[in-house]
Amino acid sequence: MSQMRLVIVGAGGRMGRALIKAVSEAPDLVLAGAIEPPGSDNLGRDAGELAGLGKLGIEVTDDALELFARAEGVIDFTVPAASVAFAALAAQARIVHVIGTTGCSAQDEAKIEAAARHATIVKSGNMSLGVNLLAALVKRTARTLNEDFDIEIVEMHHNRKIDAPSGTALLLGNAAAEGRGVALETEGVFTRHGHTGARRAGDIGFATLRGGTVVGDHNVIFAGPGERIELAHKAEDRMIFARGALTAARWARGRKPGLYSMRDVLDLTDF
Ligand SMILES: NC(=O)C1=CN([C@@H]2O[C@H](COP(=O)(O)OP(=O)(O)OC[C@H]3O[C@@H](n4cnc5c(N)ncnc54)[C@H](OP(=O)(O)O)[C@@H]3O)[C@@H](O)[C@H]2O)C=CC1
Ligand SMILES: O=C(O)C1=N[C@H](C(=O)O)C[C@H](O)C1
């Protein structure tokens, strides 16, 4: 099979740079373009140099439409408004769109779902194998334990992160809710301050920590009477997300349009 031609959007970001490196290390993939927003200082720079690799001969541009027309897939770790716009363009070009962007609103999700009628979209709050396996374990654990076990999700990220709770924390919260047969929308508790009253049985609580250069730590605590189970993941390197995104692109190649998740890609659907 020929090399898969991929465009990286948000090429100058923390994940964009990791993705350029990951694509350049993969013999079956080729970098077909690199995109930054209009006005970015990175426009016109070489994508390889941006990622600290030396010249790759791919100039960073803001012309997504032109690049998407010549590519098979786009990898997107940007911001919600950009991902919604890129999904519409991916639908127009009928290509694969891998979305790692977090912090999307319900309206953003609806627009992405609409784009998935024509684009093959894989979207996940976390592209790593470890976190998706953790989500399966959380779901399984929540299914066994009743409401005597209080579920709390603690996450910590670097001080540049702009959304909370993390996409991963929400993914894990949804896994816990699914395991328990409830909806996170009604059971989730996202803030506590002041005289909150006692914890309600069945709550799924979230706590958000921000500081330093932490790549991403998540801990799901099942606190029961006299015992506590903790399931945790610590990301040490953004390359785990980048490689996961490339696994998703390969999996989506040639697949019919639709909205998929890493659960589909990693065949964890039985959990
Ligand atoms: N699902 C997963 O596994 C993971 C998800 N993420 C998520 O990915 C996202 C990005 O994270 P991170 O790389 O740390 O963030 P950064 O802020 O470092 O990077 C975001 C990049 O997107 C660019 N961008 C913004 N708007 C546009 C646009 N319209 N067109 C093209 N590029 C645009 C920014 O450019 P500029 O700076 O010029 O605005 C920047 O280069 C976040 O939502 C994060 O939570 C992160 C890691 C793993
Ligand atoms: O912004 C980040 O850095 C990360 N974002 C994702 C999230 O919101 O869960 C994934 C990872 O934890 C890093």
Side-chain angles (χ1 to χ4, degrees):
M1 208 190 281
S2 61
Q3 285 178 306
M4 186 176 186
R5 292 171 54 77
L6 295 176
V7 175
I8 309 295
V9 296
R14 282 173 288 273
M15 278 306 299
R17 291 167 204 245
L19 286 158
I20 292 169
K21 183 165 185 280
V23 170
S24 74
E25 287 172 358
D28 59 329
L29 307 174
V30 64
L31 187 65
I35 305 263
E36 273 280 278
S40 165
D41 291 344
N42 293 320
L43 294 176
R45 289 185 64 188
D46 185 273
E49 289 187 339
L50 197 59
L53 305 172
K55 270 202 184 335
L56 286 177
I58 299 288
E59 201 174 283
V60 178
T61 158
D62 59 4
D63 190 353
L65 193 56
E66 195 268 326
L67 282 182
F68 286 17
R70 295 188 285 111
E72 281 175 273
V74 50
I75 316 282
D76 174 356
F77 288 66
T78 57
V79 293
S83 292
V84 166
F86 289 132
L89 293 180
Q92 232 174 293
R94 290 177 158 61
I95 58 176
V96 168
H97 187 190
V98 176
I99 306 177
T101 307
T102 57
C104 292
S105 66
Q107 290 94 318
D108 295 331
E109 301 285 2
K111 287 176 189 164
I112 289 168
E113 204 172 331
R117 286 201 287 268
H118 300 296
T120 307
I121 299 182
V122 181
K123 184 173 185 297
S124 176
N126 197 301
M127 299 279 172
S128 75
L129 171 63
V131 158
N132 284 283
L133 193 53
L134 176 69
L137 297 173
V138 166
K139 183 174 171 184
R140 178 67 191 81
T141 307
R143 196 164 71 210
T144 295
L145 301 175
N146 64 21
E147 286 186 0
D148 284 349
F149 282 77
D150 297 325
I151 303 177
E152 292 284 315
I153 300 173
V154 184
E155 58 110 332
M156 181 162 188
H157 284 85
H158 54 93
N159 58 22
R160 313 313 298 163
K161 186 161 177 62
I162 58 173
D163 57 308
S166 67
T168 309
L170 291 171
L171 184 157
L172 295 170
N174 274 307
E178 257 182 65
R180 227 174 217 183
V182 298
L184 188 61
E185 288 70 27
T186 53
E187 309 308 306
V189 174
F190 299 95
T191 54
R192 290 185 182 117
H193 182 234
H195 193 86
T196 59
R199 191 185 197 283
R200 193 183 62 92
D203 282 350
I204 299 178
F206 289 81
T208 298
L209 284 65
R210 293 286 175 267
T213 56
V214 178
V215 174
D217 289 357
H218 293 88
N219 197 12
V220 183
I221 304 164
F222 295 84
E227 61 180 329
R228 202 156 71 233
I229 299 160
E230 297 192 17
L231 300 174
H233 180 268
K234 291 185 189 341
E236 295 170 356
D237 187 337
R238 288 189 175 82
M239 290 302 283
I240 63 170
F241 311 128
R243 293 196 193 103
L246 301 189
T247 300
R250 290 183 186 99
W251 177 89
R253 189 184 199 185
R255 211 166 278 269
K256 71 175 188 321
L259 183 56
Y260 303 95
S261 73
M262 284 306 278
R263 208 148 71 153
D264 302 305
V265 173
L266 298 171
D267 200 14
L268 293 167
T269 43
D270 56 327
F271 277 96

